[in-house]
Amino acid sequence: EALGKQGWEILSETCELIPRELITIADAKRGDIGNTSKAYARAILDELDCDGVTVSPYLGYDSLEPFIEYQDKGIFILCRTSNQGSTDFQMLKTEYLGQKRFLYEVVADKASLWNRYENIGLVVGATQQEELKKLRLSYPKLPFLIPGIGAQGGDLKATIENGTNPNGELAIICASRGILYARSGSEFAQGAAEAAEQMRDAINHYRKRF
Amino acid sequence: EALGKQGWEILSETCELIPRELITIADAKRGDIGNTSKAYARAILDELDCDGVTVSPYLGYDSLEPFIEYQDKGIFILCRTSNQGSTDFQMLKTEYLGQKRFLYEVVADKASLWNRYENIGLVVGATQQEELKKLRLSYPKLPFLIPGIGAQGGDLKATIENGTNPNGELAIICASRGILYARSGSEFAQGAAEAAEQMRDAINHYRKRF
């Protein structure tokens, strides 16, 4: 968007260049009222044909439903994000079903209730290991999308220990800046490829214990 | 976005066609981590040169800061939205500064604390008159962006009574579908103009009591 209409073109071409056997998740963080959400869902899941998307929960169920209705796509709801300001609201104590729960826990619980097509996951930052562990114990079957490794400083080993299920699965660990900006200029592609390979090897190393 | 790169082109051309003396607010509902938020802010407030923008609070302060730093633009934070699902999270009771407050009230309070440049406002739906009234009493100086009139069924008279300050000001009442889809085909422009004029006259009628 920062690049205007060229931005969409580049995004669209990038999506086309990615081989179909690789999974694409658009980190769009959309959350709007029904008819607008429907248009966003169509743009990202139909036009760009991404396999998954991130969505923001503040507007509630009807803002997410147009995404969830794409039953063969993965819908990742922002739950406990990796950024510093995430404590402002996500860590508020709320009254929920007669219990005291953090707001992010209510989001996780509602997400699991809305999961009739089994296509919902949660976004949980690798900078929040305590909550990652707690959420994995509470929701053993939900896929987690885990940003915050690399540039943001999340620990990979702890993330795999806390974020995967007992088989070392259901955690999609993502790195953006650490890979995108590994090297610049003409070495960009080489640098990004190496950084991605290193991370893949590290992930598989830590997963060996499973 | 639903129209891909053409969508951005149309949006950009539309913004250029709007005379500068009219105020433009992009209902983008963005809320992302710092560097991405910065890019969104630049796209909407620099490139499109909109006068204001709506943002979503779930990620907290650092996700909104890049917008707030545009001191001469209006930054409207989603607070109590007009859609049905808005009760899912916005109406949760939370513990905040030793008091029990709804989540939307915490958002409003933080917004007022972050308002050092006096460029922050709240989005409060016209379908939520009770909360609109309560928020206006608590925050007499914050501008409110009020959607939900028209297609969503919010009452205009009550909105002006509850949403404006004692001088009948600080409420930006918006209607989208009721105006955009007033008539279709070749009568579109005429229909939209008439619907907008009717609404303007109605607003001014109800404001007469001030």
Side-chain angles (χ1 to χ4, degrees), chain B residues 114-168:
Chain B
W114 296 335
N115 195 20
R116 63 187 180 284
Y117 302 133
E118 300 191 338
N119 62 343
I120 292 181
L122 301 175
V123 177
V124 188
T127 49
Q128 325 289 353
Q129 291 296 332
E130 195 183 326
E131 290 92 332
L132 181 61
K133 190 173 183 175
K134 218 162 128 187
L135 286 166
R136 176 47 74 208
L137 289 171
S138 301
Y139 306 100
K141 290 177 178 175
L142 286 188
F144 292 171
L145 184 68
I146 309 177
I149 296 286
Q152 293 180 70
D155 183 66
L156 184 59
K157 183 163 179 278
T159 298
I160 291 167
E161 281 171 6
N162 293 328
T164 60
N165 72 3
N167 297 323

Side-chain angles (χ1 to χ4, degrees), chain A residues 1-2 4-5 7-9 11-12 26-32 35-50 53-55 67, chain B residues 1-12 27-30 32 40 43-44:
Chain A
E1 227 163 72
K5 66 172 174 164
W8 190 266
E9 207 162 352
L11 181 60
S12 170
D27 187 15
K29 300 193 180 69
R30 295 295 185 262
D32 211 301
N35 62 333
T36 310
S37 253
K38 209 179 257 181
Y40 280 140
R42 204 168 56 227
I44 295 164
L45 301 176
D46 271 339
E47 299 298 318
L48 293 180
D49 200 18
C50 291
V53 63
T54 60
V55 290
F67 293 92
Chain B
E1 227 163 71
L3 300 174
K5 65 172 174 163
Q6 282 185 322
W8 191 267
E9 208 163 350
I10 293 168
L11 181 61
S12 169
D27 187 16
K29 300 193 180 71
R30 294 296 185 262
D32 211 301
Y40 279 140
I44 295 164

